[in-house]
Amino acid sequence: MPYRVAVAVSGRGSNLTALVDDLSTDDVARVVLAISDRQAPALAHAAARGIAAHRLDDYRDASEWMRLLDLARANLLVLAGYLKLVPSEVVGAWAGRIINIHPALLPLHGGSGMYGGRVHAAVLAAGDPHSGATVHLVDEIYDRGAVLGAGRVAVTAADTAETLAERVLAVEHRLLPAAVRAAAGAGRPVPFEFT
Ligand code: GAR
């Protein structure tokens, strides 16, 4: 029985697509639901791949989240570029079963308002020699749950926020499937090795 994965998205959905493609090679896990707070391109990508895609009527309504997750019989909720807070009742009920991917090496450059280009601009402004992507457990505080795995990229003197974003995104597309495969193997999100 494949491990059943729900994915929450707000934007273009490249991580969702990379995850779906990776999981299509065997029966370890399967994306069964895409959820969004808006009419995101990611929802259309999911629907085009035959995945149930749902725009939330009210992203603050925990009961709507719980109903969708129950209906999909999801084992895991992945936040892949989901930019709103998940309702605290959902985080409580799903403790230990929600993971997020962040485009920096947490605990650096996380927190409220830190997403997309802002994250990479902050890395460059700080002069960090490395950046990367992190998968972590989700709790009530943005980007603060236990880190499960991370992938690094070197920052070069020539980098702009855009070039750095591109290299980090390539790492994200391998890191997230690795996190989901580790979770499927253990039956819950667990720390995993990534190279
Ligand atoms: C990804 O880079 C993800 O790490 C980031 O949003 C992007 C979504 O891209 N998430 C955050 O910044 C969360 N704080 P995608 O829609 O193409 O997967």
Side-chain angles (χ1 to χ4, degrees), residues 11-16 80-81 83 101-103 114-116 143 169 172:
R12 76 195 145 181
S14 71
N15 275 290
L16 169 66
L83 300 179
I101 186 158
H102 184 75
M114 287 302 273
Y115 58 86
D143 300 333
L169 193 65
E172 292 185 53

Side-chain angles (χ1 to χ4, degrees), residues 57-73:
D57 292 330
D58 180 358
Y59 65 84
R60 295 157 301 190
D61 177 7
S63 64
E64 190 179 3
W65 283 81
M66 302 293 269
R67 186 168 47 75
L68 289 167
L69 292 168
D70 281 352
L71 207 65
R73 290 178 287 118

Side-chain angles (χ1 to χ4, degrees), residues 79 99-108 131-137 143 145-152 168 171-172 175-176 179 192:
L79 309 185
I99 61 174
N100 178 49
I101 186 158
H102 184 75
L105 295 174
L106 291 175
L108 297 176
S131 189
T134 306
V135 171
H136 65 95
L137 281 174
D143 300 333
V147 169
L148 301 178
R152 286 158 73 92
V168 170
V171 170
E172 292 185 53
L175 184 70
L176 188 58
F192 62 99

